[in-house]
Amino acid sequence: MAGKRSHYECQQCGYQAPGWLGRCPDCGAWGGLTEVRTASGASPEGARAGRTGDARPASSARPMLLAEVAGIGHRCIRTGIGELDRVLGGGLVPGAMILVGGDPGIGKSTLVLQAAGALARQGLTLLYISGEESLAQVSERGRRLAADAPDLYLAAETCLETILDHIASLKPAAVVLDSIQTTSSLALESPAGSLSQVREVAGRLLEVAKRQEISVWLIGHVTKEGSLAGPKALEHIVDTVVYFEGDRHQAYRILRATKNRFGPTDEIGVFEMGSRGLASVDNPSALFLAERPAHAAGSVVVATLEGTRPILVELQALVSPTGAAIPRRVANGLDFQRVAMLLAVLEKRLRVGLGASDVFLNVAGGLSVREPGADLGVVAAVLSSVRNVPVEATCAFFGEVGLGGEVRRVAQSDKRLSELARLGFTRAITAHRAVDKIGAGAAIAVGGLSHVGELADLVLSAGKMRFD
Ligand code: TYD
Ligand code: MG
């Protein structure tokens, strides 16, 4: 059609080409290039510049001295949902754009509707846009979650331009877009959910967010490959990226910040899904240890650090003989590469033969632990299972293990020790160097190791894993 122009764009990496190609020359994905047509005949960027009438973006007057500019801390609005505020770095910052990712059915809409209700009850005007559910469904759910408040507005809408009109007329303090994949702009002809649409919608809402200081929550589904649609394109645009993790069939959900311009990343929030929505879990360590079996070989407790908070988890290992040519290695909730490295350390440095055994590792409760502080626990759990010797129930581990088998100090030993003391543990095993640093002031008895070999010696010589 006259006046329309098009190019082709890779849905995986965003590479653009003037004509169609079967394989993306940039990322190598097959069949990923789709046609992107702009209705105005100009590129989306051109259309955006045209809207403002000047290609130059509006900027704040003059450069200012650092000391002159007020911080954002005092403007943070607490939602009142404890675990959510923690993950956001204190609360909601006006003008911030937050991306909430996760598998379908994990609880994204529930959490954000609860947050919207809590904010609206503080007297803020909230606009919740649902592109997936009808107004009746959302309001029904809102009532059940006790999220109804006088200034919480709902709209079932998928057209970006209409949404922008709603924002202009309502002037809300925050907008929820549920979801980014169902919203599309008239400026592009590609379907909703395509990379170019996702980028266009996020980009135009960002302009509004920053210009009018409106906080925007974008809900995004995770694709089969495990990333958000248009992953990199969105993650660098927004201020905060939070992911909902956990098993849809379990009651516990973990919210993790993977990027946060307003607070620490890697902070996690723990929630329990019930009949009245998501409730904050204030004592996650107690929750993760609740079903720990007594005196079971292969089960150890690890004091891990998630963001700024110490959390105790139960780590389970099961090592069993196999007839398979290639033994199985399964690591649920742990980094697979890291586990492979630790098993190699066990084989090479401690001469523990694992070549004819399947090794299964699991973090109980659905938390995924990505911190090297869990290394010593992995080694202890595998050793305990191999030797079929249980670990003392009131003893826990933390420490990084190097390729030489050396045990290294990890951050924030004191916080981990106080959490152990709070939950009734009497002994912690960690790096020798950490013990020197902790000194005599530790909340519980601390045993120091400089090499994982000392751990094995204890198991083998005593016939029981004791550390006194
Ligand atoms: P939802 O927030 O719709 O997930 P998402 O937006 O991430 O797709 O959550 C859906 C699941 O949560 C669904 O399986 C039902 C469950 N749920 C409860 O158990 N209790 C509740 O109060 C609500 C609202 C949902
Ligand atoms: Mg939803």
Side-chain angles (χ1 to χ4, degrees), residues 104-110 128 130 132-133 141 178-179 219 221:
I106 194 90
K108 301 181 293 298
S109 303
T110 307
Y128 188 105
S130 177
E132 304 196 336
E133 291 160 290
R141 176 186 291 193
D178 186 1
S179 66
I219 295 183
H221 295 294

Side-chain angles (χ1 to χ4, degrees), residues 113 130 133-144 154-156:
L113 187 56
S130 177
E133 291 160 290
S134 68
L135 285 185
Q137 279 173 303
V138 180
S139 71
E140 170 83 40
R141 176 186 291 193
R143 269 188 288 276
R144 194 151 49 83
L154 304 180

Side-chain angles (χ1 to χ4, degrees), residues 198-235:
V198 164
R199 212 155 44 180
E200 174 73 359
V201 171
R204 301 227 345 233
L205 282 170
L206 185 73
E207 271 182 22
V208 175
K210 298 296 170 199
R211 196 153 16 93
Q212 301 176 26
E213 293 228 309
I214 296 174
S215 309
V216 178
W217 301 74
L218 301 176
I219 295 183
H221 295 294
V222 167
T223 60
K224 272 189 243 114
E225 290 75 35
S227 54
L228 285 162
K232 298 302 162 210
L234 277 192
E235 290 190 353

Side-chain angles (χ1 to χ4, degrees), residues 396-416:
F397 299 81
F398 60 92
E400 182 180 342
V401 174
L403 286 179
E406 76 278 13
V407 182
R408 294 162 176 256
R409 195 151 59 88
V410 284
Q412 317 252 22
S413 301
D414 44 349
K415 276 193 181 173
R416 300 177 203 245

